[in-house]
Amino acid sequence: MNSHIQLGHDVPEAEEYNMLRVKAGLSPKDIEASRRGLQGSLFIVTLRLEGKLIGMGRVIGDGGCMYHVVDIAVDPDHQGQGLGKRIMAEITGYLDHNAPSTAYVSLIADVPADRLYRQFGFEETAPASVGMYRRF
């Protein structure tokens, strides 16, 4: 990882969170919803270069039975440098130290990011179960 990139666990501002999401190809979120969601995170990893948010990931859930990995995003200008792996290593470390052995840890993987998640022990659930969602 570039030595100038700072790894942190700060809660990003809703606006910078949304800017990174869009730049990384994820959908934008409502600013107020973003504020609430970010504050409700169990764990956040941020990567900053000269103060600018260039990568992040979060863990959400109930802190006991269910954990969900979300918002893994790296600015396209900084992809290919192992930053996604660094984010996932931090998240995996958090889960290894905090999630009970009976916890269910899930994520929704966009292709080709599923290759990254496999490196950290995540497997497809099909055919035993399938991911589902509901949009509003």
Side-chain angles (χ1 to χ4, degrees):
M1 185 165 82
N2 180 325
S3 63
H4 293 89
I5 295 174
Q6 296 177 321
L7 184 142
H9 301 286
D10 56 298
V11 178
E13 295 295 327
E15 293 80 6
E16 65 178 345
Y17 162 76
N18 267 294
M19 285 176 45
L20 177 61
R21 282 185 60 85
V22 170
K23 195 163 187 185
L26 303 175
S27 61
K29 300 295 180 190
D30 175 81
I31 293 297
E32 183 53 35
S34 296
R35 284 188 188 103
R36 286 189 295 185
L38 289 165
Q39 291 299 322
S41 302
L42 294 174
F43 183 72
I44 298 177
V45 178
T46 57
L47 299 176
R48 294 183 180 277
L49 181 60
E50 297 176 357
K52 180 182 176 190
L53 185 67
I54 62 163
M56 71 168 293
R58 299 191 300 143
V59 178
I60 60 174
D62 64 15
C65 297
M66 305 294 175
Y67 295 77
H68 192 63
V69 177
V70 297
D71 293 332
I72 306 300
V74 175
D75 183 317
D77 294 340
H78 300 280
Q79 290 178 0
Q81 301 175 35
L83 301 180
K85 286 182 184 178
R86 184 65 180 128
I87 292 166
M88 284 303 298
E90 285 290 308
I91 286 174
T92 301
Y94 167 81
L95 293 167
D96 288 347
H97 288 98
N98 293 282
S101 62
T102 58
Y104 185 80
V105 180
S106 62
L107 60 77
I108 301 292
D110 293 334
V111 175
D114 58 317
R115 294 189 313 240
L116 169 66
Y117 306 129
R118 287 180 201 282
Q119 295 175 39
F120 291 90
F122 287 87
E123 302 173 6
E124 289 187 30
T125 59
S129 58
V130 296
M132 300 178 75
Y133 72 100
R134 178 179 174 208
R135 290 196 184 224
F136 290 88

